[in-house]
Amino acid sequence: MEETELIQLSKEGDIGSFNRLVEFHERGVYNLAFRMLGDAQAAEDATQETFISAYRALRGFRGGDFRAWLLKIAANKCRDQLRALRRRPIASLDSMEEDGVSLIHAGEPPEDYAIRRELGREIEGGLLSLPPDQRLAVILSDIQGLSYKEIARVTASSIGTVRSRLSRGRARLRDYLLERGELSP
Amino acid sequence: MFRGLRKTDCEKARGMLSAYVDGHLTSKECEAVESHLKGCEKCRHELESLRATVGILHLMPMISIPRSFALERVEPLRRPRALVVLRAATAICVVLLAFVFISDSINIFEQPPVYIADESSNTMGTFQFPTSDLSGFMEQMDRWLSGSFEGEGTTGTSIPVRQIEYGLLGVVVILGGASTLTYLRARKEGSA
Ligand SMILES: [Zn+2]
């Protein structure tokens, strides 16, 4: 069944159809939340809240890019979670593995995995060191693969704003990685 | 002089490198960046490290989800109880205020309708409200606005209409304000 059809059925209150949409998008939403928040529990909460809000607000969806619409809700939920997280200490990135987060690729030599895992942590830390607006732009562009236009839609900003946030965010992340010797200068 | 200018050129170029990597520069901007890069090793390094950073980000794996986020059932978004109560109270007060004000303007609190035996029309009498016409109403508004209502004209009244009106108006303003605030807060929380 096509996405538009599932959306229409969901609008009519068919939760089964909506859950097909959830299945299709939950990974993307969870990944955005996890990269934004650096905390598995907060990411889980933000993801669940995103789908609850989306279901309730679905009547307001007037067609177009459903993923962008969903990620916009997710970005708002992340902002709420960030506010809540600021009130308690940020969970250590060492807990990633314990939280069931696996970075390993099938068939990868263990030493490569070890290097990549270390690098992954540095990037996590680097992303979390960015201001949230820049972090969101970098995650959407370079991890989730959205276009400038889509990012502008998700963040309710202009293409020019997206361009400058990405520019500053990437430069800052590059400096962060250079300082830690993760990039050869 | 040349150095200063050159530094500005580098800063300009560096500000555009990110969009350059994505192919998001206008052809004019693109030319400017490329011609600068030809003559500036530092900015070429800058471009390389930026490309490396983006490349690393592309390699970041998608994390698997810890559980399903399918919904079991979703309660329809209910208005907060406080909002319902506040709205009802506001509505009741508005109706009361309107009732009191209209009743007051046609003077039913003041004098009972007077039966006037009209002598010119020999048999039939007419009922008249003492100040039931528009001019009476306007007069009353004038007195009400000038605040000198407690003078003549209300002598027969024992009900403190004025105070009730002012009181109700105050209550309406407060309740209306409170329900507006509650509504705005609920909307902010509920909307995405
Ligand atoms: Zn330069």
Side-chain angles (χ1 to χ4, degrees):
Chain A
M1 210 181 290
E2 265 201 39
E3 191 169 73
T4 46
E5 212 173 322
L6 289 171
I7 292 167
Q8 190 48 46
L9 289 169
S10 306
K11 275 185 179 179
E12 288 160 15
D14 178 14
I15 204 150
S17 295
F18 186 74
N19 281 337
R20 299 269 309 274
L21 294 169
V22 172
E23 241 172 72
F24 195 71
H25 290 286
E26 58 190 349
R27 201 154 179 231
V29 170
Y30 180 76
N31 269 264
L32 171 65
F34 187 85
R35 300 294 183 208
M36 275 304 287
L37 302 167
D39 179 283
Q41 186 55 54
E44 206 176 312
D45 293 347
T47 306
Q48 191 66 80
E49 282 167 23
T50 297
F51 287 114
I52 292 171
S53 287
Y55 186 69
R56 284 171 173 160
L58 202 58
R59 278 172 193 284
F61 176 68
R62 311 225 175 283
D65 189 342
F66 184 68
R67 179 172 70 150
W69 182 77
L70 208 53
L71 290 178
K72 186 175 182 178
I73 298 177
N76 282 327
K77 296 299 174 194
C78 286
R79 198 185 305 138
D80 294 346
Q81 287 290 332
L82 274 178
R83 228 174 277 144
L85 278 174
R86 232 171 272 144
R87 280 179 237 124
R88 60 188 172 90
I90 287 180
S92 152
L93 293 165
D94 290 330
S95 66
M96 268 172 69
E97 227 79 350
E98 294 151 31
D99 290 332
V101 176
S102 171
L103 297 170
I104 200 157
H105 284 176
E108 182 180 40
E111 56 270 42
D112 284 8
Y113 167 65
I115 293 164
R116 209 162 43 75
R117 186 182 144 179
E118 189 50 49
L119 186 57
R121 281 177 192 214
E122 291 293 3
I123 291 173
E124 280 291 343
L127 281 172
L128 290 174
S129 75
L130 300 180
D133 282 345
Q134 294 174 22
R135 194 189 314 161
L136 181 60
V138 170
I139 293 169
L140 289 174
S141 164
D142 297 340
I143 299 182
Q144 303 242 343
L146 270 67
S147 69
Y148 280 36
K149 207 172 159 189
E150 287 172 313
I151 300 170
R153 215 173 290 149
V154 171
T155 57
S157 45
S158 68
I159 300 272
T161 305
V162 171
R163 189 172 127 164
S164 86
R165 280 179 187 163
L166 260 180
S167 173
R168 280 178 287 144
R170 283 166 169 176
R172 223 164 145 159
L173 186 61
R174 188 255 329 271
D175 293 345
Y176 182 96
L177 294 175
L178 280 174
E179 272 169 34
R180 281 156 187 77
E182 296 292 347
L183 281 180
S184 41
Chain B
M1 183 75 181
F2 178 73
R3 271 193 178 174
L5 219 128
R6 186 165 175 79
K7 196 181 164 221
T8 315
D9 277 355
C10 282
E11 276 175 357
K12 264 189 202 165
R14 284 175 195 187
M16 294 199 270
L17 287 180
S18 161
Y20 177 72
V21 167
D22 294 326
H24 259 277
L25 291 181
T26 64
S27 52
K28 209 178 162 190
E29 286 172 323
C30 203
E31 268 171 39
V33 168
E34 280 173 352
S35 79
H36 177 82
L37 285 173
K38 264 179 208 155
C40 181
E41 202 187 340
K42 273 198 160 185
C43 283
R44 281 204 300 273
H45 273 301
E46 190 96 359
L47 176 64
E48 261 169 53
S49 62
L50 203 64
R51 278 206 171 118
T53 304
V54 174
I56 289 171
L57 285 167
H58 284 321
L59 289 177
M60 289 292 277
M62 284 286 269
I63 302 161
S64 41
I65 51 172
R67 64 176 173 86
S68 160
F69 292 99
L71 307 182
E72 284 179 16
R73 65 191 171 88
V74 176
E75 303 286 325
L77 195 57
R78 271 180 311 179
R79 292 203 179 101
R81 186 174 292 268
L83 185 57
V84 175
V85 172
L86 274 172
R87 274 188 178 174
T90 311
I92 289 168
C93 286
V94 167
V95 170
L96 269 176
L97 179 64
F99 174 74
V100 172
F101 186 75
I102 291 165
S103 314
D104 185 23
S105 15
I106 57 175
N107 285 344
I108 65 166
F109 290 122
E110 293 178 15
Q111 289 136 301
V114 185
Y115 182 73
I116 300 166
D118 195 345
E119 274 152 35
S120 56
S121 66
N122 29 32
T123 49
M124 297 290 284
T126 48
F127 274 116
Q128 281 187 353
F129 288 105
T131 49
S132 62
D133 56 355
L134 187 63
S135 63
F137 174 78
M138 295 308 289
E139 212 175 284
Q140 188 129 348
M141 282 298 287
D142 277 350
R143 278 179 288 166
W144 188 66
L145 290 172
S146 62
S148 63
F149 203 74
E150 298 296 323
E152 42 87 45
T154 58
T155 41
T157 306
S158 57
I159 310 166
V161 185
R162 203 60 39 217
Q163 284 88 330
I164 292 176
E165 283 179 0
Y166 279 136
L168 276 173
L169 192 65
V171 172
V172 166
V173 168
I174 291 166
L175 284 176
S179 46
T180 306
L181 281 178
T182 316
Y183 169 72
L184 288 176
R185 200 178 311 153
R187 203 175 63 162
K188 201 178 158 201
E189 281 166 8
S191 77

